[in-house]
Amino acid sequence: MAKAKWMVAAAALFSLACGAASAETKIGYLPSTVGQALTQAWKTGIENTLKGQPNVSFQALDAQMKAEIQVTMMDDFINQGYNAIILQPIDAAALTASVKKAEGKGIPVITLNTDTKLPHAACVTMDDQGAGYLVGEQIGKALGGKGNVAIIQSPPGAQAGVEREKGFRAAMAKLYPEIKIVGAQNGLWNKDKAIEIMNSFLQVNKQLDAVFAVNDNMAEGAMIAAEAAGRLNQVKIWGFNGQKSTLTLIEQGKITGTAYTNAYDQGATAAKYALDLLSGAKKKGDKTDVVVVPPFAATKDSVAQIKPEQRW
Amino acid sequence: MSVSAIRRLILTGLLIAIGIALSIANPTFLKLDNLMTMLQEASLTGIVAIGFTLILITAGIDMSIGAVIAITSMICVNFISYTQLPAYIYIPVALAAGCAIGWVNGFFITHFKLPEFIVTLATRGILAGLALIIAVKDEQGFVKNVFIEDPVFLSFGETVGPVYIVTIVFILLAIATQFFMKRTRAGTNIYASGANPTAARLSGINVDRTLIGVYMFSGFCAALSSIFLAARMMTAMPEFGIGNELDVIASVVIGGTPFTGGIGDIWGTIIGTLFIALIKNGILKLGLSPYIQPIVIGGIIIVTVVADVWYKHHAEKKATQAARRKAMESKEVGA
Amino acid sequence: MSNNVKSDLLLECRGIDKNYNGPQVLSKVDFSLRRGEIHALVGENGAGKSTLIKIVTGITNRNAGTIVFDGHDVPVEHNKNASEKLGIAVIYQELSLIHGMTVAQNIFLTKEPLMPGLPFIDIKKMNAMAQEMIEKYGFDLKATDIIDRLPIAQRQTVEILKALSNKASLMIMDEPTSSLTAKESERLFKIIRMLKAEGITVVYISHRMEEVYDLSDRVTVLRDGKLVSVLEGEEITPAEIIRLMIGRELTEDESHHKMVDKRDREVVLEVKNLSAEGKLNNVSFKLHKGEVLGFGGLVGSGRTELMRAIYGIDAFDAGEITYLGKSYSPTVEKSIASGFGFVPEERRLQGIMGGISITGNIGIANLDSISSPAGFVSRDKELERTQTAISTLNIKPANPDHLVGNLSGGNQQKVVVGKWLIRDLKLLIVDEPTVGVDIGAKEEMYQTIDRLSREGVAVMVVSSDLPELTRLSDRIIVLRKGRIIKEFTEGVVTEEEVLRAASGIVEGGAK
């Protein structure tokens, strides 16, 4: 009996759902996690762009750094009939199937920083490898081509982090072969873990001249550890991204530098791209349209060039 | 009425009620696509939960299921990346590996009389580490999550009509397992070994062999789920499955298989699995914070278990009171 | 031995020896069973009954002797499965039944009928077969009943059906009536006689003499691991069986342990009409200062339950307790604070914490007296008190840090007593004081109890060890089925008298 009733109710609601297809445009934002300055800045950038648009709604979900969860959430965006998705894939391979599925249903996907394996609408990315190379150059120059450096890495398989590290190592190998890379460990993108790793670097290496953390959070962690060990002035710490707090620390001289990207701008670019695709102003091509946001080496001397409204 | 019958009735009622509430709150809930992807997710958990149900029926626990998922997917991508072997060869190998891990668990538990929790927690750690070690790496030694392109392998992630293959496999496996448990001697032996191992031994059941078999089946189920997960995501990751044990345990326990052994069945697990999947989907559909998901699931576990214990205690108290009264009366006569 | 002519003996054991790497448990025991007889096996606790049964059923192996079952020699390397194949079945209380399964599933476990040509259980057929057996014996059961919901007596009949389905020719029942009501016992006896009529041999082990007297064709009496006698027909009388079980003449020492009437002294505890459903029935007695009051009775007669009720562990339904002239409703905390001490029966489970030191064990019961007002434990005081207990009770080794789990049984017992000793002890309850304790430690325990009673402590002792009970007590109360059935107050009481009372063979008692 109960079942029969349920079926009737289900059928009724189903027809209701189909009938009430809204004219509203829904855009979903799905970063690896919402708990970071970078993903927050992107969100702000996207929201500011969409704010002026009539009939556009916006929804962000937190994938909590787990690829399986992100795939589930992608499915949910697709099933709920979103019109476009802005995605920061946790893993390039793991999200490819989801992106393919969305595009197959006519939903354009714009990826941020991490590209996926199959073609989709666009990828708005920082130049990870190029920026990593830039950091390498800066550190090498400052050390005079000699010394010990360590790397705080991203989780295995996180393409963006890996690219940054690759660029950095390439600069070292090519320009400063005498600089030794004495350690490299996975900081899981997070500050606490980075403190732990930096502590071990400091204990093992009596002489440590510089550390490259592949994001700012981890650079801040490294700074905390070095400061606690009383060796902050002996170690040059470089981060990546250029979030507001890190820029302030650079001004204070606690962190040496970071590869700054205007994340507001990047988020806005992605949102604009989505709107253009939906309005027909842009056409989707056969290949992923890669939009590169150029990096900028922010140090104590150059940080003033980043205006307050550009800081995130 | 029996505890399990009441529970099943209540859960089914709740399933329907939540379903109706969700479809009112968010009409996209009832879209065929949504229901099917929800079932796909439920099936991935559900296949593991079938094996885990048998484990709980023997009064054991298997903490290694998540790690088995990880290592199995790593075995597959190794075959894909480094060999030309076809899927119909390496998939059976990967499933066999799941069984082998189950055998190791069962062997240590029965042969050395070690606690199930400790043994499987140890294998969990070892397998999780091994998964990272055997993960495919790029030239510089970074873990590279291989993008799987083998069409035979990927077909595991496809649908038949609107229904995902994993859902069909889940249903078939559930029916077969239920039938096995209720209608074969081996199944009966599993119940007996869990309810009262001493009695089972006295009745001539080889309890150790039964337990080893159950752990092998659990390993097999986890490995099977891993293949479908990897096919769905078109890649394999060394952290696959790890941390998903809560969903599996919750599905089984909510389904009415208690930790005490000897009781439980697959039907309950199916309902429990659907229940968890519905809750997870519902949280997304209602736009609630995904962080409350583990809280809700944990809460449901506590509520169902407390309700069980309360009901059982209540029933037992009534029974013993009646028995005592009866005993006293006849003692009066006998004395 | 094995020839074609079937002897009228189903089982013949000769010269069975058994020792568990130490004391001889059985020596040169002969035991034979005729086909289709009901044969009782009796003896005091520790006489070797269970060991003999374990050897016959293959749970343990003999050191020497021969066993012939149904014309076949049974090898020394006997085992449970082999004995089952021979047709030997043991009816356990409920040990071998699987909860959650139906009667039919239990009866046919591991030998379920299958569908022809398939590996699948034919449930319909299985239920029908079980129902047929049930009806044949007229049991009050349904094949589809779930075991958990059956009372003990009915579970036992399921056990019997299970044995019958195994085509057992010998059924061994170990204390089958210990948890049955009188009515249920009667029905079991009917079943046993039915089995006999079918030609099945039944070995019946019981402490209840009237049952043995009623049922048995023959009785084998064991004492201290030796065969004493095999009684048959007219020779079987309860009094004779008890005489043979106890056997030994009273020693000088024992016969001189007279009871001492201390009933003129101050009353410490008075129990009036104490009743607890299914456990205790109208129990009343008085306990006096410095008196050792012994409680005899069979296992399950309500002795332990009475002690637990007085100490406040279990609730009771009716009756009152007066302690030192004031009405007293016991709880454990109150009892401890009022100067009660309790040394429980299951020492390992209830009396000690094995992984903790002697100091820790003694401190835990005395936290009130060794803590500062703020609640911090004074380690010095704790140690001081432990040292006192160690020296007064002669606990060995005399090391306060020694883990109690590593002490010998006797010393563990002393620690439990020591917990209470160092308090202002007024009333000590001791349940089975010397189970699992060696002889030397036994005597020390007796002396401790004697000394405490001289110091004015009122003591209640529960013991199934009859020499111990008569040795310790100033007065003995015998319980049976939750009631006081007999009280011995003066003169010399013999073990035989106590056992007769406990078995219900008593002037004015039951039956």
Side-chain angles (χ1 to χ4, degrees), chain A residues 2-3 5-6 9-11 13-14 16-18 20 26 33-35 59 61-69 71-73 75-76 78-81 90-98 100-101 105 117-118 153 156-158 162 165-166 169, chain B residues 12 15-17 19-20 23-24 26-28 30-35 37-38 40-41 69 132 138-140 142-149 158 164 229 231-235 237-244 281 284-285 287-288 290-291 294:
Chain A
K3 249 183 200 158
K5 269 185 198 162
W6 182 70
L13 283 160
F14 192 78
L16 193 85
C18 297
K26 294 193 281 187
T33 168
V34 294
Q59 168 81 47
L61 288 178
D62 185 353
Q64 300 156 66
M65 281 297 185
K66 281 207 80 176
E68 286 151 273
I69 294 180
V71 166
T72 303
M73 289 174 166
D75 273 339
D76 203 60
I78 296 166
N79 290 336
Q80 293 209 45
I90 290 169
D91 181 85
L95 267 297
T96 300
S98 295
K100 186 183 152 204
K101 189 171 169 186
K105 303 229 165 186
K117 304 274 178 182
L118 292 176
Q153 301 169 307
V162 171
E165 186 178 343
K166 276 182 184 164
R169 284 180 187 267
Chain B
T12 314
L15 267 179
I16 295 169
I20 292 175
S23 39
I24 292 168
N26 187 334
T28 59
L30 278 184
K31 272 171 65 181
L32 192 62
D33 277 352
N34 184 57
L35 294 177
T37 43
M38 195 177 86
Q40 181 193 26
E41 296 233 346
I69 293 175
L132 280 167
D138 64 13
E139 319 79 57
Q140 282 151 308
F142 295 103
V143 171
K144 189 174 81 180
N145 292 328
V146 177
F147 181 59
I148 301 172
E149 286 168 293
E158 298 293 326
Y164 285 93
L229 182 62
R232 176 197 193 193
M233 303 199 35
M234 299 172 88
T235 187
M237 301 171 73
E239 60 265 30
F240 262 3
I242 293 169
N244 290 0
N281 196 276
L284 280 177
K285 286 289 176 298
L288 299 174
Y291 308 138

Side-chain angles (χ1 to χ4, degrees), chain C residues 18 71 169:
Chain C
K18 176 70 189 177
S169 52

Side-chain angles (χ1 to χ4, degrees), chain A residues 39-151:
Chain A
T39 54
Q40 284 296 336
W42 282 339
K43 185 169 174 237
T44 312
I46 297 167
E47 273 172 335
N48 289 342
T49 310
L50 299 182
K51 218 180 272 167
Q53 302 294 323
N55 278 334
V56 172
S57 77
F58 170 71
Q59 168 81 47
L61 288 178
D62 185 353
Q64 300 156 66
M65 281 297 185
K66 281 207 80 176
E68 286 151 273
I69 294 180
Q70 203 171 31
V71 166
T72 303
M73 289 174 166
M74 279 295 286
D75 273 339
D76 203 60
F77 276 150
I78 296 166
N79 290 336
Q80 293 209 45
Y82 274 69
N83 302 86
I85 300 169
I86 300 170
L87 169 77
Q88 179 204 9
I90 290 169
D91 181 85
L95 267 297
T96 300
S98 295
V99 172
K100 186 183 152 204
K101 189 171 169 186
E103 296 256 329
K105 303 229 165 186
I107 306 167
V109 178
I110 295 147
T111 50
L112 290 168
N113 274 15
T114 302
D115 199 354
T116 56
K117 304 274 178 182
L118 292 176
H120 57 280
C123 176
V124 180
T125 180
M126 299 175 178
D127 181 6
D128 287 305
Q129 202 159 12
Y133 195 92
L134 184 70
V135 174
E137 273 180 333
Q138 295 277 340
I139 288 182
K141 214 190 296 166
L143 295 187
K146 255 188 225 151
N148 293 338
V149 302
I151 305 171

Side-chain angles (χ1 to χ4, degrees), chain B residues 57-118:
Chain B
I57 288 174
T58 67
I61 190 156
D62 188 351
M63 297 304 294
S64 70
I65 41 180
V68 172
I69 293 175
I71 196 93
T72 314
S73 73
M74 285 301 106
I75 290 172
C76 287
V77 291
N78 268 284
F79 274 107
I80 293 169
S81 305
Y82 300 123
T83 71
Q84 299 299 315
L85 290 172
Y88 57 79
I89 294 199
Y90 66 74
I91 289 177
V93 170
L95 294 175
C99 293
I101 294 161
W103 184 85
V104 171
N105 281 333
F107 177 77
F108 275 91
I109 290 164
T110 56
H111 195 261
F112 297 105
K113 310 262 173 283
L114 300 175
E116 300 85 353
F117 183 80
I118 303 295

Side-chain angles (χ1 to χ4, degrees), chain B residues 2 179 182-185 188-189 191-192 195-196 198-205 262 321 324-328 330-332 334-335, chain C residues 80-81 84 92 95-99 101 109-112 114-115 119-121 123 149 162 181-182 184 277-281 483 510:
Chain B
S2 77
F179 191 79
K182 295 288 181 187
R183 296 302 291 269
T184 68
R185 285 184 182 171
T188 312
N189 290 356
Y191 278 106
N196 188 341
T198 321
R201 273 190 200 99
L202 286 172
S203 305
I205 294 170
Q321 272 171 358
R324 273 208 193 139
R325 213 165 297 129
K326 202 177 139 203
M328 207 61 198
S330 44
K331 267 187 193 173
E332 300 284 349
Chain C
K80 184 78 184 58
N81 285 341
E84 229 159 61
Y92 300 92
L95 201 62
S96 77
L97 294 180
I98 309 292
H99 285 222
M101 287 192 180
L109 189 61
T110 69
K111 45 183 196 298
E112 296 90 349
L114 301 180
M115 293 174 176
F120 305 130
I121 298 171
I123 293 176
R149 296 191 211 141
K162 191 173 168 184
T181 64
E184 289 169 340
E277 206 177 310
K279 295 179 190 168
L280 296 171
N281 198 343
R483 291 168 185 274

